[in-house]
């Protein structure tokens, strides 16, 4: 129960964009789970630590945490968590500029999500694949991925975080294509969603893109 409480406190801190505090709690949870020999939970903690490190821009450490998570989760055949770890790893590879490797990783995660009927993870995979195309300068292809991600995410949670993130990305691409008026409309909607969700990280990112447009 102490480990569970520490993990939940990490989630609360993460949701409030306090990533340093989230990491402290998740490391504590990992220590407790390790003492109990709970491999799946240890893998989940390392997955969370990798995501938090990525949010803070420490991509090398994020990749190490995520690879450790994959090794632990594979030991117990935790397919759902492995799919999520694959998504996070693909996004970190993209952020490190390894676009080809990121694309392969994300396509595999998308396949796994489909096999497991994980609609949210499918939407995330499409969103991240759009990011790969955007970073590669293929904005039209990126928008097609974002459109697919938006349709799926909106069917699950119209006011959820994925819809907000995709709107931000759509606005970013439209701005790069010179369609700033359309971009501003989308970004203002995304900003309102970020405020309602109290996601300070995304609010800051959206404000930056909105300012550019």
């Amino acid at each position: 129960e102490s480990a569970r409480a520490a993990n939940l406190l990490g989630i609360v801190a993460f949701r409030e964009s306090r990533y340093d505090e989230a990491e402290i709690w998740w490391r504590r949870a990992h220590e407790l789970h390790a003492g109990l020999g709970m491999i799946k939970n240890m893998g989940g903690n390392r997955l969370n630590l990798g995501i938090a490190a990525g949010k803070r821009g420490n991509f090398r450490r994020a990749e190490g945490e995520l690879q450790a998570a994959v090794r632990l989760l594979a030991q117990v055949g935790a397919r759902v968590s492995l799919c999520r770890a694959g998504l996070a790893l693909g996004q970190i590879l993209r952020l490190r500029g390894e676009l080809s490797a990121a694309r392969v990783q994300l396509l595999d995660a998308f396949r796994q999500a489909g096999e497991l009927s994980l609609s949210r993870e499918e939407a995330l995979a499409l969103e991240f694949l759009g990011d790969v195309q955007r970073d590669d300068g293929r904005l039209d292809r990126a928008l097609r991925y974002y459109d697919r991600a938006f349709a799926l995410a909106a069917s699950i949670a119209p006011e959820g975080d994925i819809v907000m993130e995709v709107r931000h990305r759509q606005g970013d691409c439209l701005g790069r294509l010179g369609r700033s008026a359309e971009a501003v409309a989308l970004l203002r909607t995304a900003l309102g969603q970020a405020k309602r969700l109290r996601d300070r990280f995304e609010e800051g990112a959206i404000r930056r893109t909105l300012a550019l447009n």
Side-chain angles (χ1 to χ4, degrees), residues 22-158:
E23 288 191 43
I24 291 170
W25 283 116
W26 284 331
R27 290 196 186 284
R28 179 59 178 149
H30 184 272
E31 290 171 5
L32 291 165
H33 283 135
L36 295 166
M38 299 175 72
I39 293 174
K40 180 179 178 181
N41 298 72
M42 291 165 61
N45 296 146
R46 299 299 287 270
L47 168 56
N48 287 338
L49 284 165
I51 294 171
K55 287 283 192 180
R56 298 177 72 187
N58 195 330
F59 304 139
R60 184 185 297 276
R61 183 157 59 83
E63 186 174 352
E65 293 285 2
L66 293 169
Q67 288 174 341
V70 168
R71 289 193 294 271
L72 287 164
L73 295 167
Q75 289 182 44
V76 292
R79 295 184 66 199
V80 172
S81 295
L82 279 168
C83 175
R84 291 170 180 159
L87 281 170
L89 185 56
Q91 186 70 327
I92 291 299
L93 289 169
R94 177 191 70 81
L95 289 166
R96 295 193 67 179
E98 300 175 33
L99 299 185
S100 295
R103 185 179 294 110
V104 170
Q105 180 69 45
L106 291 168
L107 285 170
D108 186 54
F110 180 71
R111 176 189 58 77
Q112 292 178 46
E115 291 176 355
L116 296 167
S117 299
L118 300 173
S119 297
R120 175 180 168 81
E121 282 68 26
E122 284 185 286
L124 277 172
L126 291 167
E127 176 188 337
F128 295 164
L129 283 163
D131 291 347
V132 171
Q133 297 293 337
R134 181 195 59 189
D135 290 1
D136 206 23
R138 301 174 179 180
L139 300 179
D140 289 333
R141 290 189 186 182
L143 284 169
R144 286 197 288 273
Y145 273 112
Y146 294 147
D147 286 345
R148 291 173 62 192
F150 184 89
L152 186 52
S155 71
I156 305 166

Side-chain angles (χ1 to χ4, degrees), residues 145-212:
Y145 273 112
Y146 294 147
D147 286 345
R148 291 173 62 192
F150 184 89
L152 186 52
S155 71
I156 305 166
E159 294 299 317
D161 58 334
I162 300 179
V163 167
M164 170 196 65
E165 292 171 6
V166 172
R167 279 190 171 127
H168 176 202
R169 286 157 163 78
Q170 288 172 323
D172 179 36
C173 283
L174 290 172
R176 297 186 193 203
L177 289 167
R179 296 160 61 182
S180 292
E182 295 172 73
V184 166
L186 273 173
L187 291 166
R188 283 179 173 157
T189 301
L191 181 60
Q193 287 181 291
K195 289 179 177 179
R196 288 192 293 276
L197 292 169
R198 298 181 181 180
D199 190 331
R200 293 189 298 143
F201 181 94
E202 286 298 330
E203 182 181 344
I206 294 165
R207 285 186 183 280
R208 179 185 60 194
T209 309
L210 186 57
L212 286 170

